[in-house]
Amino acid sequence: MTEHLAPIVVGEGVAAAHPDGAHGTVVGTFRNGCYVQVHGDMYAVAGPAVAPGPIHLIVEHAPARVPEGLAVWRDGTRLRSTEWQLDLAGATVFRPRMPAATELHLATTALKTMRHRLAVPDDLRNCWESVRRAVATDDLTAARELLEGRGGGLTPTGDDVLAGVLLVHAWRGDDPDGLLRVAAEAATTNLSRSFLAWAARGQSLAPVHDLVAHAAANDVTGFDQAVATVSAIGGSSGVALLWGIGLATTAAGTVRSWRAAAVPPARSSS
């Protein structure tokens, strides 16, 4: 019997990945949902325990476990398979607000200090100093070459760091075509490239955007909670993403861009 799922919130990347009339395939499952691939682009269908994000379709409850290889097709606003179907028409679209330059400047101290709470990912220890130098000099091509596909996980650790770096560069207004090119050229998994492409557009998971907002507002409690929430994502994905944000925040180009705001930095409790 086909399960009818009610959507809650859908990322902009879902419709972009799965246009009307296209057929996709379930290529992986996890406790709260599954990943669907359409011509190399990917998105997740997941229950409410998963945070909203640009390539996430969050539904009212976690869908039943389905076999890999299951066909999923789009017919107008409907996504259908033999196991479940849903209508995207009533879903709220996830469109996180890009932080303004003043907010980024206010968040700088908290985001830089955040790094002292985080252990360097084990997967990256042997290239970490090179990564730091590449990010510090805004050499995103070198950073990509060092990080792409490196480490374990559904999204390799290095890609998660690169996603954090791309986010900060997108937020500070760098050339979007250049950032998208870095994401597209990453030699990694289709899932990682999908995350990287949206990071290059300035979008990540909801708690990542919350983290910056709390830092800019000098909300220490909210910031600490957001750091804990992001850190708990995946085996190491959240911590690696935070490292990328922290490294890029310290980059010379970022500091120069934010200094023009001429506002005092936020305090940090750490």
Side-chain angles (χ1 to χ4, degrees), residues 6-7 30 40 64 81 92 94-95 99 118 141 144 155 161 183-184 186 226 237 247:
F30 53 98
S81 74
T92 299
F94 176 71
R95 292 191 180 99
L118 309 173
T141 297
R144 171 185 59 76
T155 54
V161 174
S237 288
L247 287 177

Side-chain angles (χ1 to χ4, degrees), residues 125-157:
R125 286 188 180 277
N126 63 346
C127 67
W128 194 243
E129 285 307 311
S130 296
V131 169
R132 289 168 67 104
R133 286 194 296 271
V135 175
T137 56
D138 287 347
D139 190 342
L140 296 187
T141 297
R144 171 185 59 76
E145 292 172 348
L146 288 163
L147 292 167
E148 59 189 0
R150 187 182 289 268
L154 289 172
T155 54
T157 308

Side-chain angles (χ1 to χ4, degrees), residues 107-115 211-212 215 223 245-246 249 258:
T108 301
T109 298
L111 294 175
K112 288 167 62 176
T113 306
M114 173 185 69
R115 296 179 307 150
L211 178 141
V212 177
F223 178 74
I245 292 170
T249 301
W258 297 357

